[in-house]
């Protein structure tokens, strides 16, 4: 029935109301952004056998609710892995005012790239906690379950030095990711204060101010308009996502 099928197709084309882009350009742009974002944002990956430590547990990923930071996370990954693994030691810093998502970006980078690209270990430090030695000791125990008690190590050269030595014992082709979250903006101390083995491990730091001594500082500002709309309309029924005014709301 070739002729009948051709007539049916022509009739349907004559009655068509146009493409999504013709009918709703803003919705089409948002959907295209979402598709492109999915190409550059890998999903979270389980830690598996990768050593990992966070003093209160590494914060979890928000999965597909993380939108709008594809450019920053792609640039971050490139900057931290642009050298061969055997010459690890690159550093990056996410800087920006409170509430712009620096810590969330670091968390999502950890879950989406950490287990695949940093087999030597993933370590999360809360720089605001004020108990650095306890956190360093937890990291040391992650690498060496037989490490001595914290009180003994503090009297014998310091736990930070022991942790730096442990980092140095991991083969150079096994990258280590060390995240120092919320370094105080008033801090004048070198990054080795927060990251034992700085220069040996891959460091990602977050702070409200730009940190001296990092290879790649990345400013985290407000979301681009298209990304903000995509964030606000995520999960809404199509008829709600097409309502005019989302760009105005996003600009607020």
């Amino acid at each position: 029935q070739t002729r009948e099928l051709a007539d049916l197709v022509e009739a349907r084309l004559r009655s068509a109301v146009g493409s999504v882009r013709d009918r709703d350009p803003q919705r089409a742009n948002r959907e295209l952004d979402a598709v492109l974002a999915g190409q550059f944002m890998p999903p979270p990956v389980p830690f598996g056998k990768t050593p990992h430590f966070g003093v209160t547990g590494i914060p979890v990923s928000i999965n597909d609710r993380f939108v709008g930071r594809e450019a920053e996370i792609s640039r971050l990954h490139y900057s931290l892995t642009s050298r061969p693994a055997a010459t690890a030691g690159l550093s990056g810093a996410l800087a920006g005012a409170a509430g712009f998502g620096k810590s969330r970006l670091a968390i999502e980078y950890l879950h989406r790239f950490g287990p695949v690209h940093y087999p030597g270990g993933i370590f999360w430090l809360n720089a605001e906690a004020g108990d650095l030695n306890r956190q360093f000791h937890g990291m040391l125990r992650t690498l060496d379950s037989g490490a001595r008690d914290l009180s003994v190590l503090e009297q014998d050269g310091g736990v930070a030095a022991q942790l730096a030595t442990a980092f140095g014992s991991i083969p150079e082709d096994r990258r280590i990711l060390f995240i120092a979250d919320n370094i105080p903006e008033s801090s004048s101390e070198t990054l080795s204060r927060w990251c034992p083995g700085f220069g040996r491990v891959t460091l990602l730091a977050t702070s409200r101010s730009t940190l001296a001594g990092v290879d790649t500082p990345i400013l985290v500002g407000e979301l681009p308009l298209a990304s903000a709309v995509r964030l606000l309309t995520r999960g809404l029924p199509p008829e709600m996502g097409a309502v005019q005014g989302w760009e105005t709301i996003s600009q607020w």
Side-chain angles (χ1 to χ4, degrees):
Q1 298 177 312
T2 307
R3 182 65 263 168
E4 289 82 354
L5 287 173
D7 292 341
L8 177 61
V9 170
E10 290 178 350
R12 295 267 177 100
L13 287 173
R14 285 193 297 270
S15 64
V17 295
S19 67
V20 173
R21 180 170 295 281
D22 293 333
R23 288 181 280 119
D24 190 343
Q26 292 183 353
R27 176 187 168 193
N29 287 334
R30 289 197 301 271
E31 292 182 355
L32 177 60
D33 286 345
V35 171
L36 292 176
Q39 304 301 312
F40 299 101
M41 188 70 72
V45 180
F47 292 130
K49 295 183 179 180
T50 304
H52 57 277
F53 174 84
V55 67
T56 56
I58 295 175
V60 299
S61 169
I62 57 174
N63 298 293
D64 62 351
R65 289 183 289 128
F66 181 64
V67 300
R69 294 297 186 191
E70 292 79 13
E72 289 92 339
I73 209 166
S74 296
R75 181 184 173 201
L76 176 64
H77 182 59
Y78 175 78
S79 68
L80 293 180
T81 58
S82 57
R83 292 180 192 164
T87 58
L90 287 170
S91 59
L94 302 172
F100 281 94
K102 303 181 297 296
S103 294
R104 173 51 55 189
L105 205 162
I107 293 166
E108 296 302 329
Y109 179 76
L110 180 154
H111 285 285
R112 296 164 192 271
F113 293 87
V116 175
H117 297 276
Y118 300 92
I122 303 168
F123 301 91
W124 179 276
L125 176 85
N126 182 354
E128 289 184 320
D131 58 351
L132 296 186
N133 278 345
R134 184 164 69 92
Q135 295 186 69
F136 293 158
H137 187 252
M139 296 176 188
L140 181 61
R141 280 273 174 91
T142 298
L143 296 173
D144 179 8
S145 60
R148 292 175 294 174
D149 291 342
L150 175 59
S151 58
V152 176
L153 291 175
E154 286 180 326
Q155 298 174 3
D156 187 19
V159 66
Q162 295 286 336
L163 179 58
T165 300
F167 284 151
S169 68
I170 295 176
E172 290 185 344
D173 61 347
R174 295 176 62 82
R175 294 183 195 270
I176 300 168
L177 177 62
F178 190 106
I179 297 180
D181 188 38
N182 288 321
I183 293 179
E185 56 187 314
S186 59
S187 175
S188 60
E189 298 175 283
T190 64
L191 289 172
S192 58
R193 156 73 168 143
W194 311 100
C195 175
F198 175 61
R200 165 65 182 84
V201 302
T202 299
L203 170 66
L204 171 56
T206 75
S207 179
R208 294 185 183 181
S209 61
T210 302
L211 299 171
V214 297
D215 298 308
T216 305
I218 297 176
L219 180 64
V220 180
E222 63 186 39
L223 283 173
L225 184 59
S227 295
V229 171
R230 183 154 52 88
L231 176 64
L232 287 177
T233 58
R234 177 195 169 276
L236 291 180
E239 62 272 16
M240 289 294 295
V243 173
Q244 299 299 315
W246 284 114
E247 290 191 353
T248 301
I249 294 171
S250 298
Q251 287 171 333
W252 292 346

